Amino acid sequence: MDMVTTEEPSRTPSPSATQASPLPGRPGLGRRLSAAGRAALPALAAYAVIRLVGVLTVYVWARNLGLSPEQRLSKSDGTYYLSIAQHGYDGYVKTQSDMAFFPLYPGLTGVLDRITPFSPREAALIVAWLAGLAAAWGLFAIGAHLHDRRTGVLLAALWAALPHAIVESMTYSESLFTALAVWTLYALLRNQWLTAGVLCLFAGLTRPTASSLIPVVGLAALVAIVRRRDGWRPWVALLLAPAGWLGYLAWVGTQTGRPDGWFHIQSAGWGSTFDLGAYTVRRGQEVLAETTTPQMLVVSVVSLLAVMLFVLSLIDRQPWQLLLYSGLLLVTTLGAAGYYHAKARFLLPAFALLLPAAVGLARAGWARAATVLVAATVFSAYFGGYLLLIWTKSP
């Protein structure tokens, strides 16, 4: 707020008056966080309610089948994360090594397991659920920053109601990576270089798909450096952003005795390679032309919708940082060979693709938006139960 001068003679304030009246400036960090949390509360509440419906559906359905809901929430890849959290990596004793999984999520799980009375599975779920809330907060922040608060709330709600959103409530790393990615991009949009660099470093320790985030931070930093903006901070972001991702790949290389160790594990052990999308197109044609399971059909529909939403994002002229991140994530996901059934899950962190839908629902009004969200929540809850209790592979 600008200071208003008067015609009265200036007077030197006494020391006690100076101490009692702090200089005007930005509020403290705690106050800013409190205000931001209150603003984001509707988005956090919407996210929590939608995810609670999904988890309760799995709980009741599993109990009726005589199954353990907790075990179902940590099926498939979740068992690898729990093993790493408890025992560390397997030391490359087999080709299908658990070193394919990045360390931050199981590391946080292991720390929480050791310092609290929670079991490893409970600790892993708590980390995932808290990360989901952090991601929802970030989604609200980006939606409100680019459009308005209603868009932010709906963006968080839509992410909670995706068909594969049950993964956000499982012992998987998608929710943690999404939280780190969304806050990294939010920091970039606000030119907060140090924050963006540090968060991107941690994202690189969470999932291999940080390869879609690191170039965005790097390019934004280079643009700022070329334009001589913000001094030394873009340089630091440029150095920090790839450090986690490259550091883990280097560690795996030393453990396996070959520089391409992680990529070798992915291809030789897990059958995951990159063929520019030839496998995805061929497998998608097979799925759509034959009698198939609901999971495979939904993956095909989600993949097509993701491409459509990216085109809409281009038409809407989203900030280039979001467009580049979404585009790279689409290329790395749909361009990879293998694991067709998991491609919709791999696209969960592509949150910016939901912005056109969030903007449209915000303009349509709360009644129409609530109708869409209720229908999406019901389907997401059913499909989450199907993925965990009927579908036998990873979601």
Side-chain angles (χ1 to χ4, degrees):
M1 181 179 296
D2 294 333
M3 300 296 293
V4 180
T5 59
T6 68
E7 299 299 325
E8 297 179 4
S10 60
R11 293 177 295 177
T12 302
S14 65
S16 59
T18 303
Q19 294 173 2
S21 303
L23 294 173
R26 296 181 65 190
L29 177 61
R31 184 175 295 181
R32 296 201 304 272
L33 285 176
S34 177
R38 288 195 299 271
L41 193 58
L44 297 176
Y47 175 83
V49 168
I50 293 172
R51 293 305 329 124
L52 182 61
V53 171
V55 171
L56 287 178
T57 300
V58 171
Y59 182 87
V60 174
W61 194 343
R63 287 298 188 188
N64 288 336
L65 295 177
L67 302 173
S68 167
E70 294 82 4
Q71 290 182 357
R72 292 290 153 168
L73 287 171
S74 59
K75 67 180 288 191
S76 301
D77 290 3
T79 60
Y80 286 95
Y81 284 122
L82 290 177
S83 175
I84 296 168
Q86 292 177 273
H87 311 296
Y89 285 101
D90 58 24
Y92 194 51
V93 296
K94 54 185 178 180
T95 306
Q96 200 171 40
S97 169
D98 60 12
M99 284 190 287
F101 298 89
F102 277 53
L104 184 59
Y105 176 65
L108 292 175
T109 298
V111 170
L112 189 62
D113 173 36
R114 289 170 178 79
I115 65 175
T116 67
F118 299 115
S119 69
R121 180 176 287 110
E122 291 168 343
L125 289 173
I126 289 172
V127 172
W129 293 350
L130 290 177
L133 287 171
W137 191 344
L139 291 170
F140 168 80
I142 280 192
H145 177 71
L146 296 178
H147 298 280
D148 51 39
R149 292 185 61 192
R150 181 179 295 185
T151 301
V153 172
L154 289 169
L155 185 60
L158 284 172
W159 191 65
L162 289 172
H164 287 72
I166 189 62
V167 175
E168 301 165 18
S169 305
M170 296 177 64
T171 58
Y172 276 58
S173 62
E174 274 79 3
S175 57
L176 178 59
F177 177 78
T178 303
L180 292 167
V182 68
W183 283 110
T184 297
L185 292 169
Y186 180 72
L188 276 187
L189 294 175
R190 296 169 59 87
N191 295 321
Q192 297 171 338
W193 298 105
L194 301 184
T195 301
V198 171
L199 290 174
C200 190
L201 183 154
F202 285 118
L205 290 170
T206 306
R207 287 192 64 78
T209 44
S211 60
S212 300
L213 182 65
I214 294 167
V216 182
V217 179
L219 182 57
L222 285 174
V223 170
I225 290 169
V226 170
R227 294 179 178 176
R228 298 185 178 182
R229 291 194 292 107
D230 301 327
W232 52 270
R233 289 176 176 81
W235 287 98
V236 176
L238 185 65
L239 295 174
L240 287 176
W245 192 77
L246 292 176
Y248 181 66
L249 295 188
W251 179 81
V252 174
T254 62
Q255 297 299 305
T256 59
R258 50 186 300 165
D260 65 340
W262 185 84
F263 298 97
H264 174 70
I265 290 172
Q266 282 289 88
S267 59
W270 295 89
S272 180
T273 58
F274 189 80
D275 65 356
L276 294 176
Y279 165 84
T280 300
V281 172
R282 183 177 66 254
R283 191 71 185 94
Q285 290 174 337
E286 294 171 355
V287 167
L288 295 176
E290 301 174 359
T291 302
T292 187
T293 61
Q295 157 70 343
M296 302 298 277
L297 181 60
V298 170
V299 167
S300 302
V301 173
V302 167
S303 300
L304 290 172
L305 288 175
V307 175
M308 180 199 73
L309 289 169
F310 181 72
V311 174
L312 291 177
S313 300
L314 286 171
I315 295 172
D316 290 345
R317 297 182 179 180
Q318 276 185 19
W320 70 264
Q321 297 91 335
L322 300 184
L323 288 172
L324 181 57
Y325 170 70
S326 299
L328 290 174
L329 200 53
L330 277 174
V331 169
T332 56
T333 300
L334 302 183
Y339 293 93
Y340 185 84
H341 65 273
K343 290 192 181 296
R345 166 166 65 90
F346 296 157
L347 286 173
L348 278 176
F351 62 89
L353 295 176
L354 296 173
L355 261 174
V359 171
L361 287 176
R363 293 173 179 171
W366 280 120
R368 291 179 176 85
T371 301
V372 172
L373 282 177
V374 168
T377 300
V378 171
F379 180 76
S380 178
Y382 156 75
F383 195 65
Y386 169 85
L387 288 173
L388 299 194
L389 302 170
I390 299 176
W391 177 251
T392 57
K393 299 179 182 179
S394 62

